């Protein structure tokens, strides 16, 4: 079982520092979700943990070895990453794209095997893409394309799977399908999952461990039940909200304030006595 940690990690582009002396430990065999506002450095951090971005200082350690010093294929056999908004080489079919996930297992002496073929087909089945297997990726919808990339990541068959906003572009059904699939990979195969999600409520349902990034550092980390509070949401996202319980799962559920349809909120407040900022703002404005 692989473990992934980063010590004293500083990341950036040119002179610009994005992540500053950050420490993070990814609990093995768990689902970790990174949260934080747009531009706070989640993708930067995820990419550096997968060795796609070299740190300015500090180190990322995979199973006791500094990944910067590891062989590319060795890293790729242990961890797969789905980056944010990947661009597909032109003219590839879904099958050809997903096959690329098997590259760590190919080599001069290792030809395409039944095991490779099975892994590709399983990934296509799990992401509900069998019908689109021979379709050109350029001709897919945004959501179908996102699933094809997820399939490629799964075909790599690694214990550690890093995904940057895997549910972007997906309709509600496919969002839940993908998150359930990742949950199953975690539950049944004990895979370690690290992903960036923007939907806090889904993050709370699926994460064992949440890491909130703010001001170039880890602001808070822990179980959703322990850390997701109005204060955290306000401090990390600069947004007022109520935090209640998901009626189905009992996990924290964040209800953002904001104006919404204020007339409805006013009527609701009158009926129930439950007010939010929207109502108070409207009342003040009146
Ligand atoms: N290749 C790059 N060159 C220069 N600056 C970059 C590059 N990639 C990202 N940045 C900058 O680094 C900062 C962090 O970007 P990053 O993509 O890590 O944020 P993020 O938390 O993933 O945001 P989002 O939620 O919007 O995906 C941003 O200010 C961004 O403009
Ligand atoms: Mg990002």
């Amino acid at each position: 079982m692989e473990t992934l940690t980063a010590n004293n990690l500083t990341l950036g582009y040119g002179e610009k520092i994005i992540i500053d002396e950050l420490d993070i430990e990814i609990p093995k065999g768990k689902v970790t979700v990174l949260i934080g506002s747009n531009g706070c450095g989640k993708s930067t951090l995820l990419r550096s943990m997968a060795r796609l971005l070299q740190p300015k200082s500090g180190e990322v350690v995979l199973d006791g070895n500094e990944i910067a010093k590891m062989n590319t294929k060795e890293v790729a056999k242990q961890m797969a990453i789905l980056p944010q908004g990947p661009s597909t080489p032109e003219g590839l079919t879904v099958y050809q794209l997903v096959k690329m996930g098997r590259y760590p297992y190919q080599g001069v002496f290792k030809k395409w095997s039944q095991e490779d073929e099975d892994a590709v087909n399983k990934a296509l089945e799990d992401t509900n893409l069998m019908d689109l297997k021979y379709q050109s990726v350029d001709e897919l919808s945004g959501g179908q394309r996102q699933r094809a990339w997820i399939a490629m990541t799964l075909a790599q068959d690694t214990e550690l799977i890093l995904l940057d906003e895997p549910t972007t572009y997906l309709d509600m059904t496919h969002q839940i399908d993908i998150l359930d699939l990742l949950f199953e990979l975690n539950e049944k195969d004990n895979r370690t999952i690290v992903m960036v999600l923007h939907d806090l409520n889904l993050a709370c349902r699926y994460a064992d461990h949440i890491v909130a990034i703010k001001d170039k550092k880890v602001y808070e980390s822990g179980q959703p039940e322990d850390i997701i509070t109005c204060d955290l949401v306000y401090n990390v996202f600069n947004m007022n909200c109520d935090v209640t319980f998901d009626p189905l799962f009992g996990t924290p559920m964040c209800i953002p304030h904001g104006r919404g349809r204020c007339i409805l909120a006013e009527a609701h407040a009158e009926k129930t006595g439950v007010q939010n900022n929207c109502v108070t703002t409207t009342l003040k404005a009146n």
Side-chain angles (χ1 to χ4, degrees), residues 37-44 84 164-165 196 198:
S37 60
N38 288 139
C40 73
K42 302 175 297 298
S43 298
T44 302
Q84 184 173 15
D164 200 344
E165 299 191 32
V196 176
H198 276 298

Side-chain angles (χ1 to χ4, degrees), residues 36-107:
S37 60
N38 288 139
C40 73
K42 302 175 297 298
S43 298
T44 302
L45 175 60
L46 202 72
R47 291 191 323 113
S48 97
M49 289 201 293
R51 220 188 71 153
L52 299 182
L53 179 72
Q54 212 184 335
K56 288 192 176 294
S57 61
E59 56 176 12
V60 176
V61 178
L62 175 62
D63 225 17
N65 300 305
E66 195 180 336
I67 59 166
K69 296 183 180 146
M70 287 171 72
N71 167 295
T72 305
K73 277 198 176 174
E74 272 319 302
V75 175
K77 279 181 188 165
Q78 294 175 56
M79 104 164 82
I81 180 167
L82 170 71
Q84 184 173 15
S87 51
T88 319
E90 238 173 83
L92 279 191
T93 62
V94 171
Y95 176 58
Q96 287 168 326
L97 176 70
V98 178
K99 271 180 94 171
M100 285 167 58
R102 299 300 296 170
Y103 84 93
Y105 306 96
Q106 307 303 299

Side-chain angles (χ1 to χ4, degrees), residues 84-149:
Q84 184 173 15
S87 51
T88 319
E90 238 173 83
L92 279 191
T93 62
V94 171
Y95 176 58
Q96 287 168 326
L97 176 70
V98 178
K99 271 180 94 171
M100 285 167 58
R102 299 300 296 170
Y103 84 93
Y105 306 96
Q106 307 303 299
V108 185
F109 302 109
K110 173 86 171 57
K111 294 279 177 289
W112 188 255
S113 66
Q114 190 57 47
E115 194 185 347
D116 294 317
E117 190 67 28
D118 291 347
V120 167
N121 283 324
K122 179 157 189 342
L124 287 168
E125 268 163 25
D126 284 346
T127 50
N128 201 11
L129 281 172
M130 268 306 190
D131 289 350
L132 299 172
K133 187 170 173 179
Y134 298 110
Q135 186 135 338
S136 165
V137 178
D138 306 327
E139 291 166 9
L140 299 180
S141 74
Q144 291 166 338
R145 195 172 307 146
Q146 178 76 347
R147 272 154 50 214
W149 277 100

